[in-house]
Amino acid sequence: MEYSEEVKNMCRVASNADHGPAPIPEEGKWVKSKEVTDISGLTHGVGWCAPQQGACKLTLNVKDGIIQEALIETIGCSGMTHSAAMASEILPGKTILEALNTDLVCDAINTAMRELFLQIAYGRTQTAFSENGLPVGAGMEDLGKGLRSQIGTMYGTLSKGPRYLEMAEGYVTKIALNEKDEIVGYAFVHLGKMMESIRNGVDPKEALEKASGHYGQYDNAAKYVDPREQ
């Protein structure tokens, strides 16, 4: 190690303030984290690309510094889905430090990894006070029935008003209006449930009917509108 002349000419002054790192909460324990292998926890983070065209929600389950599980959800950019596919192969098996310094292809996914690293390194994970954390596979539970991301897609204009396109319940097929043309409900198809039924041998028409539902004052509406065509 090289020292400047100024440092070489200094006399030594003792320091007794070395008490180690402050403990952080990790999976129900207080840990003085010194090595990357001291880190455990499951948490979520959101990232965005430089032009802010798309965003990524990243979920990681880390055990002893190693990423055991990764859920990558993206929105707003077609190329981002391919980057997410690559990230699902890249992330598991890496330490959180390796993952932070790995090109995850998409700027939004890289940013999400940065935000997660900060949460994990500072003991701000979702499982900070959960004894033993969550098992590998817990990330998939975020997706619910049919393993689909929860997406909300709405569109509106000043001249024509709002259009509900997709809710947490599923793909919106109709919006229900009252006498004042205000939205009072909607009909939807839960695509995850429908595809699951079709995979299990149910006729597609029957599967569509079983996965369909409605919300709000749908039955008593004055008018029904297809939000994609009308």
Side-chain angles (χ1 to χ4, degrees):
M1 188 179 297
E2 294 185 14
Y3 294 93
S4 67
E5 286 300 316
E6 289 83 1
V7 173
K8 287 180 182 178
N9 293 328
M10 289 178 180
C11 64
R12 189 178 187 285
V13 176
S15 173
N16 62 357
D18 184 14
H19 51 70
I24 60 174
E26 288 184 25
E27 300 189 339
K29 297 177 292 185
W30 290 96
V31 178
K32 287 194 172 186
S33 175
K34 296 182 180 180
E35 307 289 339
V36 71
T37 52
D38 295 330
I39 298 292
S40 294
L42 180 142
T43 197
H44 317 273
V46 176
W48 53 95
C49 61
Q52 299 191 20
Q53 179 182 354
C56 168
K57 179 194 171 190
L58 180 61
T59 302
L60 296 181
N61 198 349
V62 180
K63 302 290 185 184
D64 300 322
I66 307 294
I67 296 170
Q68 300 292 335
E69 176 185 17
L71 171 64
I72 305 100
E73 301 173 87
T74 63
I75 190 169
C77 172
S78 58
M80 200 185 289
T81 61
H82 296 79
S83 301
M86 296 176 70
S88 70
E89 297 185 44
I90 292 168
L91 286 169
K94 280 188 165 50
T95 68
I96 56 170
L97 188 58
E98 285 178 302
L100 185 67
N101 289 286
T102 297
D103 181 9
L104 298 174
V105 188
C106 168
D107 201 19
I109 303 175
N110 284 316
T111 304
M113 183 63 228
R114 180 195 72 196
E115 296 301 307
L116 256 72
F117 182 88
L118 292 173
Q119 290 185 37
I120 295 166
Y122 287 114
R124 301 298 191 271
T125 64
Q126 301 293 310
T127 56
F129 299 101
S130 302
E131 190 173 355
N132 298 321
L134 290 172
V136 176
M140 290 188 77
E141 294 178 6
D142 282 0
L143 299 177
K145 189 75 170 176
L147 300 182
R148 281 177 55 86
S149 297
Q150 294 194 46
I151 298 172
T153 307
M154 315 299 157
Y155 178 74
T157 60
L158 181 60
S159 61
K160 299 297 183 179
R163 297 294 187 276
Y164 296 177
L165 300 173
E166 185 137 1
M167 293 283 196
E169 296 95 335
Y171 180 97
V172 176
T173 56
K174 296 284 185 182
I175 52 176
L177 309 181
N178 62 14
E179 294 80 1
K180 298 178 182 178
D181 287 336
E182 299 168 330
I183 297 175
V184 293
Y186 53 87
F188 59 86
V189 177
H190 195 300
L191 295 178
K193 291 180 180 178
M194 184 181 78
M195 293 307 299
E196 192 173 274
S197 294
I198 292 172
R199 285 200 313 274
N200 291 330
V202 177
D203 179 78
K205 186 177 180 180
E206 183 183 348
L208 175 63
E209 292 174 356
K210 285 185 174 181
S212 297
H214 56 78
Y215 180 82
Q217 301 171 31
Y218 189 83
D219 290 331
N220 301 316
K223 186 192 302 183
Y224 301 95
V225 172
D226 183 333
R228 290 170 175 80
E229 298 292 338
Q230 297 173 268

